[in-house]
Amino acid sequence: MNKGFFITFEGGEGSGKTTQSELLYNNLKEKGFVVNRTREPGGTILAEKIRDLLLKGDQDKMSNLTELYLFAAARKDHIDNIIEPSLENNEIVICDRFIDSTTAYQGYAGNIDLRVINYVNNITIGSSKPDITYIFDIDPNIGLQRSINITTEEIRFEKKDIDYHKKIRSGFLEIANNNPDRCIVINAEQELKKIEEFILNLTIEKYEGNGN
Ligand code: T5A
């Protein structure tokens, strides 16, 4: 029997991942699937505390490597306590951000050697590799404008300059190119409903194709 089904949503700031991951969660539940929706950094008590350290801190007060280890520590706790148990239980897990965010933000934009990033990602996730990853692609000027309209203290990364966000965008596209087996690039500038329907149909098709 197959072990659960793991879906991740990735992309730059304000690309619409959170909105669409919630829509997919509701649509799948409505169709009778057992679904668990979670996010990174976060998902457990410990990982949510690390999230606060990472996202509410002062810009540039933390080194890139410190950042990488904190994201990895939060992820390990999240995998052990939420993601793996859910997958073992044959559930569909939807996660808002996962390892590709580390590769794009700390690797492509943060300039940590990608070999280090891949090594840390691999030892952190073990066998918990996503079955599908939706990568939301958007012009960072549009994405940042969308996220500015949301009131939150979690702005450490949003505050970085536009070149940083452009590197994130091209990093995500390169990740998609290198992992065509699991990554699907979504044009995030399309109308919300169109994206919602595309993701729902493709998810069900892939889920059934996975032998579920
Ligand atoms: N991070 C995270 C790392 O650096 N390394 C890591 O390993 C990990 C895991 C996490 C931060 O941490 C960094 C990356 C991030 O900076 P987050 O909680 O994921 O942060 O927050 P953001 O990505 O900043 O989330 P945002 O809320 O800004 O963006 P979303 O989730 O992509 O966008 P969403 O859905 O909230 O939508 C933003 C706005 O746009 C509208 C929505 O209604 C909302 O108002 N919208 C649309 N408008 C028009 N057309 C559409 N199609 C729309 N879709 C959504």
Side-chain angles (χ1 to χ4, degrees), residues 21-159:
S21 64
E22 191 176 2
L23 287 167
L24 180 64
Y25 171 77
N26 290 333
N27 287 331
L28 289 174
K29 265 184 62 170
E30 208 168 89
K31 289 186 179 291
F33 292 97
V34 181
V35 198
N36 190 355
R37 178 169 169 259
T38 185
R39 68 170 182 180
E40 289 206 349
T44 64
I45 293 170
L46 174 64
E48 290 291 334
K49 285 187 176 161
I50 297 176
R51 180 184 178 96
D52 281 349
L53 294 174
L54 278 162
L55 304 188
K56 292 184 184 165
D58 277 348
Q59 193 181 12
D60 299 332
K61 280 238 168 108
M62 200 183 280
S63 80
N64 291 346
L65 264 184
T66 306
E67 223 173 72
L68 172 67
Y69 299 145
L70 286 175
F71 278 115
R75 179 164 300 135
K76 180 70 180 127
D77 194 60
H78 187 211
I79 288 171
D80 290 348
N81 293 295
I82 303 287
I83 295 177
E84 260 312 305
S86 264
L87 293 174
E88 284 295 339
N89 211 23
N90 259 318
E91 294 171 11
I92 296 178
V93 177
I94 298 175
C95 189
D96 193 342
R97 295 197 184 277
F98 196 58
I99 46 168
D100 300 317
S101 284
T102 308
T103 309
Y105 282 76
Q106 282 66 54
Y108 285 104
N111 293 326
I112 297 178
D113 191 320
L114 290 180
R115 286 168 303 181
V116 175
I117 298 276
N118 289 337
Y119 183 74
V120 172
N121 278 347
N122 287 336
I123 57 169
T124 306
I125 70 168
S127 61
S128 302
K129 200 178 159 197
D131 294 292
I132 317 183
T133 298
Y134 292 110
I135 294 191
F136 282 62
D137 180 51
I138 193 165
D139 177 337
N141 289 301
I142 299 175
L144 286 168
Q145 196 52 50
R146 282 187 191 168
S147 56
I148 278 167
N149 295 331
I150 299 170
T151 314
T152 171
E153 287 174 63
E154 294 178 343
I155 52 164
R156 190 158 151 262
F157 289 89
E158 268 107 332
K159 270 165 56 188

